[in-house]
Amino acid sequence: MSETPATLGAAGADRTGGVPDAVGTPSSLPATPLLSRIHRPADLRGLTSDEIEALAAEIRRYLVATVARTGGHLGPNLGVVELTLALHRTFRSPRDTIVFDTGHQAYVHKLLTGRQDFSRLRERGGVSGYPSRQESIHDVVENSHASTALSWADGIARANHLQGRDRHIVAVIGDGALTGGMAWEALNNIADSADKHLVIVVNDNGRSYAPTIGGLAHHLDALRTNPGYERMLSSVKHTLLSQGAPGRAAFDALHGLKRGLKDILVPSAFFEDLGIKYTGPVDGHDETAVEFALARARDYTEPVIVHVITEKGRGYTPAEEDAADRFHAVGRIHPETGLPVVPSRFGWTAVVAEELLALARADKRVVGITAAMQQPVGLQPLADALPDRVIDVGIAEQHALTSAAGMAFAGLHPVVALYATFLNRAFDQVLMDVGLHRAGVTVLLDRAGVTGTDGASHNGMWDMALLAHVPGLHLAAPRDEATLRQAVRDAVDVDDAPTVVRYPKGSLPAPLPAVRTVGEDDGPFGAVDVLLDTAGERPVLLVGVGAMAENALDAGRSLTAEGVAVRVVCPRWPVPVPDALVELARAASGTVVVEDGLVEGGVGSQLRDAVEDASLADGVAEVPRVARLGVPRRFLPTATREQLLADFGMDRAGICAAVRRLVNPDTAPDGRG
C-alpha cells in the first residue's frame, strides 16, 4: 500500500489557483514542485497559506493534463481540491477515517496519499478511478454506488466507541447523494447517538451528474444563495480588508463568526432539527475557511454537518462552461479546448433516446424516469421535447421502481432508465412491487455487461442472473441497432408484466442481420435469430447473447473455415429461455453460450437446465452438453472491456477454443490438440 509519489515532468506553476486553457503538450506534463514534496498527508501541515494556494493550482493543472490523456472523472475532482487539502491538514488519515461517498472525487485524495502517477489512470496495472484498498491504507470504501458513506461512517464510529478508540470519522457526501433515501436512514441513526467523533461534510455543488433536484436541493440552494447573508458578509469583508493589516486580522477572525451571521439570516433548523449540529455554508474554495470549519467540527464531541459550497469543474474553462455536467466524466480530450480526441460514434444510448422520444410522442402514456442521470441514460431528448413526461427522482432507484409500479397501476407506461449496475439497488422493488403486481413497467439498462475501466462496482454483470428469478419478467438483449429499436418498441407494448432491455456502453457494431428466424410463432419473446448456419446434421450451436453475438459470429466464421459445422444464433429475449432455443440446443451436437453477464445462473445455466428438463420429460437418456462462457462470480479488476473478455475466453479466440474442446474433449486449451 504505497504512499510514494512518482516523479513528474516539467512546466511552469501558476499561483492563481486556476488552470490555464493550455495545460501541457502530449509529450510533457506540468511541473509540480510542491506536489512532488507531498509523500503523505502529514507533509501538508508544514506548508504556508501561499504554498497551499500554489499547490491547489498545481493539482488542478496536473489533473487536467493527465485526465485529458486517459479519460476519467474530471469535473468532480477539480471542484474538491481545497476541500481535500483542508481535510488532510485537519484530520490524521489513516488514524482518522475519511470516507468518500461515490468516490469519483477521490483523485485529489490519491495525489495527497502518495499516488502521483496518473499515466495509467483507470487502466490495468494503473491507479483506479475510485478509492481502492489494494492501493492505499488511506482508502476505505471501494463501492462507487452513491448515498452509502453516512452508513459506513456511522458503523465505523460506533465500532470505535465500543472499542474505546479516540478517532475521528469524516464522511464526504455530495448534495446529489443526499437525495438517496439511504443517506437519510443513516442520518436518522447518527442523530440518535451523540458520543461519536463524526463529521459529515456536505460537498454542495448543486449537482450529482446534472443539477440536483428535489426539496433538499431547494433548501440547500436557499442556504447557498440567501442574498441577505451574502450582502452582509460581502459588506463586512470589504470594510475590514480596506483597513490594512488590522482589518485582515479581523477578517480572519470573521471565519469564526460566520455561524453567528448565518444563524441570524439563514436558519439551519433543517439539519439541527434532526439533532445534528450544522455549520456553514463555507466557501469550499477558500482553504483557510474550510480548514477553520473542519477544525471546529473536529473539536466538537457530537456529530456535526459542515456545509461546503464548491464548483464542479473549478478552474478549467471548458468544464466551467459545460452546462450539461461540468465535465463530470470525460474520455480522452484536448486539454486546451476540452474537445474529444476521437469524436464519439453513434452509440446504443443515442438509439434508445431516439426511439423513446418517438414512442412518447405517439403514446401519451409513456413517461421516462431517471435516478439523477437524465442525460447519461438518454432521457435528455425526451425531457427537452416533453419536459412534463420525464421524472428525475434523484439518486433513489428503489423509489423509482415502486413509483413506476404506481404509475402503471394508474394507467401510464413508465420507462425507467438506469445504468445496469444500479438496478441491483432496487431488486426487491422489481420483484415485489413491479413483478408481483405484473406492472407494465419497462426498465432500460444502459452499460450492461462488462464496462471495465470504471472498476468492480460499475460492471453491469449481475442483471440477467438476478432478473431471471422474477416471475413473468422478460429481458431483451439486442445485438445491433435494428434489434435494439425493435426491443424497445416490443417492451413498451407490454402492459401486464415487467420488461427489461439491456445494452452495453459505447458505440454500435455493424448490423448483424439474421439469415432466418425461428420461434416467431410464439411472439417476439420466442424469436431466435440464426446468424450463421453451415452444413451438418448436428452442428455445434453457438449462442451469442446480445452484445456477444458479434464475437460469436466471428468465431463461427473462423470455425467454419476450419471445417467445423456451426450454427450461430442470437435469442432476442433470452430471459426466460425461449422454447425455440431449447429445441435448437437439443438438436445440436453440443452448445456453447457466450454472455457478458454472470456465468453462474446466467442464460447459459438457464438453457442447460431447460435442455435437461426437456430431455428428461421426453425420456431421453443422453442430454446434450451445454458449455458456458461468461463472467465469473467475482469482483473484476480494472481493465478494458476487451482485456476482460479475453481473460474470460469470450473473444473470438476463446470462443473457438471452447467449441474445439466441446467437439474434442481431448483438445488442449490453445486448440492444438
Side-chain angles (χ1 to χ4, degrees), residues 185-429:
E185 294 174 18
L187 282 171
N188 181 56
N189 278 271
I190 289 169
D192 191 45
S193 178
D195 59 358
K196 291 178 282 190
H197 296 316
L198 182 68
V199 176
I200 299 167
V201 177
V202 177
N203 174 30
D204 180 7
N205 58 25
R207 292 171 169 268
S208 47
Y209 289 85
T212 308
I213 56 85
L216 172 65
H218 296 318
H219 181 84
L220 290 176
D221 190 58
L223 291 175
R224 185 190 311 126
T225 62
N226 181 277
Y229 172 61
E230 294 300 327
R231 282 195 301 269
M232 171 76 75
L233 191 59
S234 177
S235 175
V236 172
K237 177 179 179 179
H238 181 270
T239 300
L240 291 177
L241 292 183
S242 67
Q243 296 177 7
R248 178 171 292 278
F251 178 69
D252 289 340
L254 178 63
H255 288 305
L257 301 175
K258 279 188 176 181
R259 173 61 189 271
L261 290 173
K262 182 191 64 59
D263 279 345
I264 297 171
L265 298 163
V266 185
S268 59
F270 182 77
F271 289 107
E272 294 192 341
D273 281 354
L274 293 172
I276 304 175
K277 296 298 180 182
Y278 168 93
T279 185
V282 180
D283 179 355
H285 301 295
D286 181 341
E287 196 278 339
T288 301
V290 178
E291 196 174 326
F292 189 93
L294 291 175
R296 292 183 64 214
R298 178 197 61 202
D299 295 339
Y300 199 67
T301 57
E302 294 181 11
V304 181
I305 289 176
V306 180
H307 182 190
V308 179
I309 309 300
T310 62
E311 297 176 18
K312 200 171 183 177
R314 171 84 170 196
Y316 181 43
T317 301
E320 292 178 337
E321 293 179 349
D322 179 38
D325 65 3
R326 298 287 182 89
F327 279 30
H328 177 85
V330 297
R332 295 177 61 229
I333 60 174
H334 294 288
E336 300 85 359
T337 63
L339 296 175
V341 171
V342 179
S344 59
R345 294 166 54 193
F346 194 63
W348 297 85
T349 305
V351 172
V352 169
E354 283 187 357
E355 203 61 39
L356 193 56
L357 177 56
L359 288 168
R361 281 176 167 154
D363 185 349
K364 292 183 178 180
R365 299 177 307 124
V366 174
V367 295
I369 302 176
T370 177
M373 299 183 69
Q374 190 164 282
Q375 182 169 348
V377 297
L379 289 183
Q380 193 62 51
L382 178 57
D384 292 340
L386 304 168
D388 60 336
R389 304 272 289 282
V390 173
I391 301 98
D392 186 345
V393 300
I395 300 178
E397 291 84 2
Q398 292 173 296
H399 169 62
L401 267 298
T402 300
S403 176
M407 293 180 196
F409 171 76
L412 298 179
H413 189 105
V415 178
V416 183
L418 306 168
Y419 280 6
T421 182
F422 298 137
L423 182 68
N424 303 347
R425 299 161 67 101
F427 177 74
D428 183 67
Q429 286 67 37

Side-chain angles (χ1 to χ4, degrees), residues 152-173:
W152 272 95
D154 178 54
I156 296 168
R158 289 178 186 274
N160 283 348
H161 176 68
L162 289 172
Q163 296 176 76
R165 298 193 191 108
D166 185 20
R167 300 177 182 179
H168 288 86
I169 302 89
V170 185
V172 182
I173 184 168

Side-chain angles (χ1 to χ4, degrees), residues 638-663:
T638 298
T640 66
R641 173 179 167 87
E642 291 72 22
Q643 288 171 329
L644 291 170
L645 294 184
D647 289 347
F648 307 145
M650 295 164 62
D651 58 355
R652 183 191 60 78
I655 297 168
C656 287
V659 171
R660 295 188 196 104
R661 289 194 299 271
L662 189 71
V663 173

Side-chain angles (χ1 to χ4, degrees), residues 553-585:
L553 183 57
D554 287 345
R557 288 168 175 159
S558 295
L559 291 164
T560 298
E562 297 175 13
V564 180
V566 178
R567 177 177 290 146
V568 181
V569 302
C570 180
R572 297 181 192 172
W573 292 78
V575 177
V577 175
D579 292 340
L581 185 60
V582 176
E583 294 309 310
L584 286 169

